[in-house]
């Protein structure tokens, strides 16, 4: 049996999968109230759609690892503003901590997930 990878890097072509991500979010809401409020404050409609899509993709990936309890739960901020999952939600059954990083520009995003902490 192969060992589980400690980290994953996901590429999201937001321009190509934008509609699918929105359909999935309507089917099963994952974004937090904080994320919804932030996106509503954005004045540029393209920026708003792409930011939202990147965060839907991030939430979908995190839910696959951490389970549905993270739906709608706001991220907490570390010193410097780096977001993370709340302590109880980021812990796996083996005691390891899930950490993530999201970077997006134009209509693409990279999402890094670590299953063993930052």
């Amino acid at each position: 049996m192969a060992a589980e990878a400690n980290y994953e890097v996901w590429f999201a072509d937001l321009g190509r999968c934008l509609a699918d991500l929105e359909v999935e979010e309507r089917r099963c809401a994952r974004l937090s109230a904080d994320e919804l409020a932030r996106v509503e404050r954005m004045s540029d409609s393209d920026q708003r759609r792409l930011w939202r899509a990147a965060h839907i993709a991030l939430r979908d990936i995190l839910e696959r690892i951490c389970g549905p309890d993270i739906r709608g739960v706001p991220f907490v901020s570390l010193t410097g503003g780096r977001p993370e999952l709340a302590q109880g939600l980021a812990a796996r059954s083996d005691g390891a901590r899930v950490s993530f990083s999201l970077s997006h520009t134009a209509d693409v995003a990279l999402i890094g997930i670590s299953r063993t902490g930052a």
Side-chain angles (χ1 to χ4, degrees), residues 5 8-9 11-12 15-16 20 25 28 50 52-53 61 63-64 68 72-73 77 82 93 98 103-104 117:
E8 301 170 14
V9 177
F11 173 82
R16 188 169 159 212
D20 292 334
E25 182 66 9
C28 181
L50 293 170
R52 182 177 158 89
I61 293 165
E63 183 175 325
R64 291 168 191 252
V73 176
S77 291
R82 185 177 174 281
S93 59
V98 174
S103 180
H104 52 94

Side-chain angles (χ1 to χ4, degrees), residues 1 20 22 35-36 47 85 93:
M1 181 175 189
D20 292 334
E22 286 296 343
E35 288 166 307
L36 295 172
Q47 179 188 17
L85 292 167
S93 59

Side-chain angles (χ1 to χ4, degrees), residues 77-96:
S77 291
L78 295 175
T79 305
R82 185 177 174 281
E84 71 171 18
L85 292 167
Q87 185 69 28
L89 297 174
R92 298 180 350 147
S93 59
D94 62 4

Side-chain angles (χ1 to χ4, degrees), residues 28-46:
C28 181
R30 291 177 175 87
L31 295 175
S32 70
D34 292 349
E35 288 166 307
L36 295 172
R38 180 172 177 180
V39 79
E40 287 304 315
R41 291 190 302 267
M42 294 178 182
S43 58
D44 182 276
S45 62
D46 288 334

Side-chain angles (χ1 to χ4, degrees), residues 64-79:
R64 291 168 191 252
I65 296 166
C66 299
D69 289 345
I70 68 163
R71 288 182 192 158
V73 176
F75 295 132
V76 295
S77 291
L78 295 175
T79 305

Side-chain angles (χ1 to χ4, degrees), residues 12 14 38 42 47 50-52 54-55 102-110:
L14 302 175
R38 180 172 177 180
M42 294 178 182
Q47 179 188 17
L50 293 170
W51 188 96
R52 182 177 158 89
H55 284 256
L102 168 65
S103 180
H104 52 94
T105 184
D107 63 350
V108 297
L110 280 178

